Amino acid sequence: LLGETYQASFPQHGISISIESTSHSPNIANFLLVHKDFKFWGKYEYITRLEGSSKNSMLIHHQGTNHVDFNDGQRISFTWPQIQITGLTTGDRTCKYVGSMQFVDEKNKIKTLIKFGDTGNDKSLPKKRNDIFSGKIYFYNQAESPSKKKSDKNEANYKDMKEEICTLHGSWLEYLQVEQEEVWNINKETPTQYVPVENPLPSDVRFREDIVWLKRNNKLHAQEWKLILEERQRYERKLRMAQSQSQSQSQGKSKKK
């Protein structure tokens, strides 16, 4: 629901997180994760597109850039790769990352480019596994003002590279290795558990009447409240549209004067 929030913490790491639904159509959720040394913030908006004539697969694109701001003023921004889901109607259902993703430190002109389903120059990696990726961390040349399409193509082929720092490879299901050092392994890391805050905002998802009744196993009341909330959302949307139209008309009259 628009304006719905959620607040939690990761007490073992000293991290708090706040999330808010900021758009109903399209569905967008903004988030802010705070640690004493950094802040991680951005938004989640997913755009989907069916592929092929059979419409048996779908591409999901995560719109929006995410940022990590450190206390020393450094910022790392990154974008997510596309997600491909196959077997929507026939065949085995699979889900994998496709394409590439980038991490950019504009202040120091450092970039990381990761290609999914790509083994790079490492002949030891299995080529048939979809979870494999490879990439490079490097200093990049800032293009003066290239077209967006041309810029994306150059970056995907490391053509904006000024000087290579190191290489990396791994599996997004298992491990990450930078040069010869393994920096993450799913079998060695302890999963992090979040804890909901005790006194959240009144808009917290835990106070939604349909969810409350669903947890009480009363599906009839849950469905009734769901319809009430949906009608309320439609009504409030009409009010916002009417207000926006009224403001546009007022601005138009002011310009004519």
Side-chain angles (χ1 to χ4, degrees), residues 122-133:
D122 194 334
K123 305 299 182 183
S124 65
L125 296 176
K127 292 185 177 181
K128 293 184 179 181
R129 283 180 51 174
N130 294 322
D131 58 305
I132 293 296
F133 63 81

Side-chain angles (χ1 to χ4, degrees), residues 250-257:
S250 298
Q251 290 175 358
K253 292 179 180 178
S254 298
K255 288 181 180 179
K256 288 181 180 179
K257 291 180 180 179

Side-chain angles (χ1 to χ4, degrees), residues 36-125:
K36 64 181 181 64
D37 297 325
F38 64 87
K39 293 180 180 179
F40 174 31
W41 58 278
K43 70 173 185 177
Y44 285 93
E45 176 187 359
Y46 294 100
I47 308 297
T48 60
R49 175 170 58 87
L50 292 174
E51 289 187 299
S53 57
S54 63
K55 309 299 182 184
N56 194 39
S57 65
M58 176 173 62
L59 272 180
I60 303 175
H61 181 63
H62 178 178
Q63 293 278 82
T65 304
N66 295 290
H67 311 276
V68 182
D69 293 340
F70 295 91
N71 291 343
D72 61 0
Q74 182 186 19
R75 169 179 290 180
I76 296 177
S77 303
F78 68 93
T79 56
W80 287 94
Q82 291 183 319
I83 300 172
Q84 185 182 54
I85 300 176
T86 59
L88 296 179
T89 54
T90 60
D92 295 332
R93 181 70 56 85
T94 63
C95 179
K96 64 180 180 179
Y97 286 118
V98 294
S100 62
M101 70 182 301
Q102 297 182 24
F103 297 81
V104 180
D105 175 358
E106 289 191 3
K107 182 178 179 180
N108 298 299
K109 297 295 183 287
I110 297 175
K111 181 180 293 185
T112 300
L113 175 62
I114 296 175
K115 299 181 180 181
F116 291 88
D118 186 282
T119 59
N121 297 322
D122 194 334
K123 305 299 182 183
S124 65
L125 296 176

Side-chain angles (χ1 to χ4, degrees), residues 6 33 65 74-75 116 172 200 209 245 249 253:
Y6 188 74
L33 183 150
T65 304
Q74 182 186 19
R75 169 179 290 180
F116 291 88
W172 53 269
E209 291 89 345
Q245 187 176 7
Q249 290 174 351
K253 292 179 180 178

Side-chain angles (χ1 to χ4, degrees), residues 225-240:
W225 268 107
K226 185 175 183 295
L227 294 175
I228 291 172
L229 293 173
E230 287 177 348
E231 287 297 328
R232 184 189 300 170
Q233 284 252 108
R234 295 188 185 98
Y235 175 70
E236 291 176 351
R237 184 181 182 185
K238 288 180 180 179
L239 291 179
R240 289 194 301 272

Side-chain angles (χ1 to χ4, degrees), residues 1-251:
L1 297 176
L2 186 61
E4 188 175 307
T5 59
Y6 188 74
Q7 296 166 273
S9 67
F10 298 87
Q12 62 270 52
H13 298 293
I15 292 174
S16 65
I17 184 168
S18 303
I19 308 170
E20 180 180 359
S21 177
T22 54
S23 175
H24 182 268
S25 182
N27 290 321
I28 300 175
N30 286 64
F31 69 90
L32 172 63
L33 183 150
V34 179
H35 182 268
K36 64 181 181 64
D37 297 325
F38 64 87
K39 293 180 180 179
F40 174 31
W41 58 278
K43 70 173 185 177
Y44 285 93
E45 176 187 359
Y46 294 100
I47 308 297
T48 60
R49 175 170 58 87
L50 292 174
E51 289 187 299
S53 57
S54 63
K55 309 299 182 184
N56 194 39
S57 65
M58 176 173 62
L59 272 180
I60 303 175
H61 181 63
H62 178 178
Q63 293 278 82
T65 304
N66 295 290
H67 311 276
V68 182
D69 293 340
F70 295 91
N71 291 343
D72 61 0
Q74 182 186 19
R75 169 179 290 180
I76 296 177
S77 303
F78 68 93
T79 56
W80 287 94
Q82 291 183 319
I83 300 172
Q84 185 182 54
I85 300 176
T86 59
L88 296 179
T89 54
T90 60
D92 295 332
R93 181 70 56 85
T94 63
C95 179
K96 64 180 180 179
Y97 286 118
V98 294
S100 62
M101 70 182 301
Q102 297 182 24
F103 297 81
V104 180
D105 175 358
E106 289 191 3
K107 182 178 179 180
N108 298 299
K109 297 295 183 287
I110 297 175
K111 181 180 293 185
T112 300
L113 175 62
I114 296 175
K115 299 181 180 181
F116 291 88
D118 186 282
T119 59
N121 297 322
D122 194 334
K123 305 299 182 183
S124 65
L125 296 176
K127 292 185 177 181
K128 293 184 179 181
R129 283 180 51 174
N130 294 322
D131 58 305
I132 293 296
F133 63 81
S134 69
K136 295 180 180 181
I137 303 175
Y138 58 93
F139 292 102
Y140 68 93
N141 289 309
Q142 184 115 31
E144 294 183 1
S145 54
S147 66
K148 180 64 177 173
K149 188 175 182 180
K150 184 178 179 181
S151 175
D152 289 346
K153 186 177 180 180
N154 287 340
E155 290 168 354
N157 291 287
Y158 305 110
K159 289 188 177 180
D160 61 342
M161 183 187 298
K162 182 179 180 181
E163 180 185 350
E164 182 177 316
I165 298 174
C166 62
T167 60
L168 56 89
H169 69 267
S171 158
W172 53 269
L173 293 174
E174 295 180 4
Y175 70 97
L176 168 62
Q177 187 166 322
V178 179
E179 292 294 339
Q180 302 304 316
E181 180 185 0
E182 186 177 71
V183 297
W184 173 76
N185 188 304
I186 196 170
N187 295 315
K188 298 176 182 178
E189 301 291 333
T190 303
T192 301
Q193 182 62 46
Y194 67 89
V195 178
V197 300
E198 291 185 4
N199 298 302
L201 294 170
S203 54
D204 195 273
V205 62
R206 285 167 283 175
F207 299 141
R208 266 181 51 179
E209 291 89 345
D210 58 334
I211 295 178
V212 170
W213 285 109
L214 189 61
K215 287 182 177 179
R216 293 177 179 176
N217 203 29
N218 192 324
K219 295 181 180 179
L220 179 60
H221 277 353
Q223 181 63 26
E224 290 174 348
W225 268 107
K226 185 175 183 295
L227 294 175
I228 291 172
L229 293 173
E230 287 177 348
E231 287 297 328
R232 184 189 300 170
Q233 284 252 108
R234 295 188 185 98
Y235 175 70
E236 291 176 351
R237 184 181 182 185
K238 288 180 180 179
L239 291 179
R240 289 194 301 272
M241 292 178 66
Q243 184 179 18
S244 177
Q245 187 176 7
S246 177
Q247 289 175 347
S248 297
Q249 290 174 351
S250 298
Q251 290 175 358

